[in-house]
Amino acid sequence: MLCQRCYEYNGGKTLKFRIENKKGSIYFCSETCRASFEEEDNESILRSCLFDLEHWYRSNSCEDNYDDEKKSLEEAWSEIEAWEQEILKTKRKSHMVPKLTETEYSDIIYILDVMFSQYKGTNELELSLFVKLQTNEQDKVAKYPYLLKSYTRMYKYLKLTCGPQLQPFITIDNIRRIIGTSLTNAFGIWSSTVPGEDKEYFGCALYPSASFFNHSCSANVSRTRHGRLISFVTSHPVLQGEELCIQYGNHTTEDYHTRQKDLKEWFFECGCKKCEMRI
Ligand SMILES: C[S@@+](CC[C@H](N)C(=O)[O-])C[C@H]1O[C@@H](n2cnc3c(N)ncnc32)[C@H](O)[C@@H]1O
């Protein structure tokens, strides 16, 4: 189980601190984490969405669905635009909320988190950088066409279930941007932060300013997560003018071809010095 606030993982045991209502529970590793969540979510906006999501997922989940969407990106999203006009005329909408897969459940937590930051608007620098991030929706859907159905299903879920405060952020452009930028910019939250160690993936979090680090297969900056914060520290002396790079993924001693194959998930061919030399 993961602390909602600091992402602390306690090996599958139930965390001691929680906020709950009849729909669900949100767990924390300490009173400090719970209090800090409550303070930030002082209007109960995020917790209400998380409770609803848990409740809906428990009663209406479905298996991962790998049916390819036959439509193009633009066609699929313009159908959503038309769907939105239709639902304005519909009074009872609860039967229209789609079932969710486990992946969608965790992706929606991520989307809610980003929208909640947009709603709070407290970190202006990060929000201004968010709109400059590279989006890879097109590449990702071209490689995995079934994802388009998943993206539009998540959109419908959010539109039909979120309260009025987050609704201004549930626009097709914004949700496409949140999903599209997450693919190559968000940092994974894993059960362990030790490089090379076996670990479980829990989801991801966005730190726009840190997303401008390029990748190198011989990175000179290492990152460590401390709760919600990630620190970036040079791992060896850096020459003046030398680019600071982190390592995407979890490589240790893999050869050139294995690294290039893995980095295809980030949709680029690595042009770092080590790869240029085919080492
Ligand atoms: C998280 S962004 C890094 C910031 C990005 N360069 C920018 O200015 O927005 C990741 C993208 O940067 C580019 N990139 C990062 N490292 C690279 C590398 N070693 N070789 C080629 N392209 C790289 C790729 O386009 C990749 O999808």
Side-chain angles (χ1 to χ4, degrees):
M1 184 172 278
L2 203 64
C3 173
Q4 175 68 33
R5 191 64 183 161
C6 75
Y7 312 131
E8 170 80 24
Y9 176 62
N10 73 343
K13 292 192 212 108
T14 304
L15 291 167
K16 276 195 191 144
F17 301 86
R18 65 183 160 187
I19 310 174
E20 60 188 339
N21 78 1
K22 58 182 187 307
K23 290 186 172 173
S25 308
I26 304 170
Y27 289 90
F28 303 91
C29 66
S30 65
E31 182 53 51
T32 313
C33 278
R34 178 168 65 189
S36 138
F37 176 90
E38 284 177 324
E39 190 187 335
E40 192 173 36
D41 186 33
N42 57 350
E43 298 166 274
S44 299
I45 293 170
L46 184 55
R47 78 192 75 170
S48 148
C49 292
L50 291 173
F51 288 145
D52 284 350
L53 177 63
E54 186 187 330
H55 180 70
W56 185 257
Y57 177 67
R58 268 217 234 108
S59 49
N60 288 290
S61 61
C62 59
E63 292 296 309
D64 275 318
N65 180 345
Y66 299 109
D67 280 356
D68 286 351
E69 176 62 281
K70 306 281 183 274
K71 296 168 195 128
S72 70
L73 267 180
E74 297 318 320
E75 272 175 300
W77 284 111
S78 46
E79 275 187 21
I80 291 289
E81 224 172 295
W83 170 86
E84 242 176 304
Q85 293 308 312
E86 278 307 304
I87 60 160
L88 289 177
K89 300 178 209 150
T90 315
K91 282 215 175 81
R92 278 198 66 250
K93 301 186 177 80
S94 53
H95 66 285
M96 301 166 86
V97 182
K99 288 180 193 257
L100 300 174
T101 68
E102 191 180 350
T103 314
E104 287 160 2
Y105 172 77
S106 99
D107 286 352
I108 288 174
I109 293 178
Y110 172 79
I111 298 172
L112 287 171
D113 219 37
V114 177
M115 286 199 302
F116 184 62
S117 305
Q118 293 178 319
Y119 169 77
K120 294 296 280 187
T122 34
N123 201 330
E124 281 176 32
L125 172 66
E126 294 297 308
L127 289 172
S128 68
L129 292 173
F130 168 67
V131 293
K132 297 190 191 323
L133 297 179
Q134 181 179 310
T135 157
N136 287 83
E137 184 196 22
Q138 203 134 24
D139 296 328
K140 187 92 180 183
V141 168
K143 188 165 179 189
Y144 304 109
Y146 64 85
L147 284 176
L148 188 49
K149 274 192 182 158
S150 178
Y151 296 164
T152 51
R153 245 196 332 265
M154 291 195 287
Y155 185 86
K156 286 183 179 177
Y157 173 85
L158 291 164
K159 196 80 209 170
L160 292 168
T161 62
C162 284
Q165 297 92 339
L166 293 187
Q167 284 296 331
F169 304 95
I170 311 174
T171 63
I172 292 176
D173 282 353
N174 195 38
I175 298 298
R176 286 182 72 177
R177 169 157 286 280
I178 294 174
I179 295 172
T181 52
S182 75
L183 305 171
T184 46
N185 292 288
F187 289 86
I189 307 292
W190 301 85
S191 53
S192 158
T193 53
V194 180
E197 201 173 75
D198 275 353
K199 43 193 165 183
E200 204 180 327
Y201 176 75
F202 294 122
C204 51
L206 189 66
Y207 302 84
S209 50
S211 294
F212 290 92
F213 277 117
N214 283 332
H215 160 89
S216 165
C217 296
S218 50
N220 51 15
V221 172
S222 64
R223 67 172 183 275
T224 316
R225 186 171 59 74
H226 317 269
R228 280 177 92 75
L229 298 178
I230 303 187
S231 66
F232 296 87
V233 177
T234 49
S235 41
H236 46 81
V238 174
L239 297 173
Q240 191 173 358
E242 188 182 335
E243 184 180 3
L244 294 173
C245 290
I246 56 172
Q247 181 190 284
Y248 301 176
N250 197 24
H251 297 124
T252 49
T253 53
E254 286 80 355
D255 64 17
Y256 166 76
H257 294 286
T258 312
R259 296 196 315 270
Q260 285 290 354
K261 191 167 148 265
D262 292 350
L263 288 166
K264 288 220 160 71
E265 281 304 302
W266 278 266
F267 307 106
F268 66 90
E269 258 177 51
C270 183
C272 77
K273 289 210 176 81
K274 194 169 167 184
C275 285
E276 263 178 14
M277 294 189 284
R278 299 284 194 273
I279 301 173

